[in-house]
Amino acid sequence: FELGKAEIFGEGKDIAILVYGFLFTEAYKAKETLESQGLSVRLINMRTLKPVDEQAILRAADECKFIVTVEDHFITGGLYSILAEVLLKKKKTANVLPLALMNKWFKPGLLNDVLEYEGFTAAKIADRILNYLH
């Protein structure tokens, strides 16, 4: 583990999935599902958001067709916002799909039930990405 250094799984060029924390496992399974559909997927485990691995973000923006951020956080003030700040600072743009809590708190419950309800299971992450593509 290196503070501020992302862990990268694959060098996919179609989709880069950026994630951190306990949603990593679901994002990894979603990567496998998307690859079984013929897509080239790069999974980036950000590991820390401060400091953030700007180079991993910039490489994804340069090399991938689009970026997906997956976070158990509000859409503002988390990974999606950090991604936007990094891109803006470097005068870059990217096609981005944020998967986050949309201005509402999650419904309390057992973890698996919460993941299902909020759309954070591997299957729902993969479905949301595939729907975005089509």
Side-chain angles (χ1 to χ4, degrees):
F1 175 80
E2 184 180 335
L3 193 62
K5 183 73 173 161
E7 184 178 29
I8 301 173
F9 297 85
E11 289 297 321
K13 303 290 186 198
D14 292 328
I15 303 163
I17 301 174
L18 278 62
V19 66
Y20 68 96
F22 80 94
L23 289 176
F24 170 78
T25 301
E26 296 302 319
Y28 190 89
K29 291 175 188 174
K31 173 188 185 306
E32 291 175 334
T33 299
L34 294 166
E35 288 175 337
S36 75
Q37 301 279 326
L39 293 164
S40 173
V41 183
R42 177 182 312 190
L43 177 63
I44 304 173
N45 181 8
M46 298 307 298
R47 302 179 101 186
T48 63
L49 298 185
K50 188 166 180 95
V52 70
D53 189 340
E54 290 188 7
Q55 291 308 310
I57 292 172
L58 294 170
R59 277 190 58 222
D62 288 340
E63 298 173 3
C64 300
K65 292 179 184 170
F66 87 99
I67 298 173
V68 179
T69 57
V70 179
E71 58 188 318
D72 61 328
H73 190 280
F74 291 122
I75 195 165
T76 56
L79 180 54
Y80 177 70
S81 295
I82 291 168
L83 169 73
E85 290 174 17
V86 169
L87 293 176
L88 182 64
K89 181 169 64 172
K90 296 297 184 176
K91 298 182 176 138
K92 292 187 174 283
T93 61
N95 188 3
V96 180
L97 171 64
L99 302 182
L101 298 173
M102 302 304 244
N103 298 319
K104 66 177 178 61
W105 293 103
F106 63 88
K107 180 182 176 183
L110 297 175
L111 181 59
N112 289 338
D113 295 335
V114 172
L115 293 175
E116 181 70 30
Y117 181 82
E118 296 298 342
F120 290 131
T121 63
K124 288 201 174 184
I125 292 169
D127 284 346
R128 290 166 77 182
I129 292 169
L130 289 170
N131 287 334
Y132 182 81
L133 288 172
H134 299 98

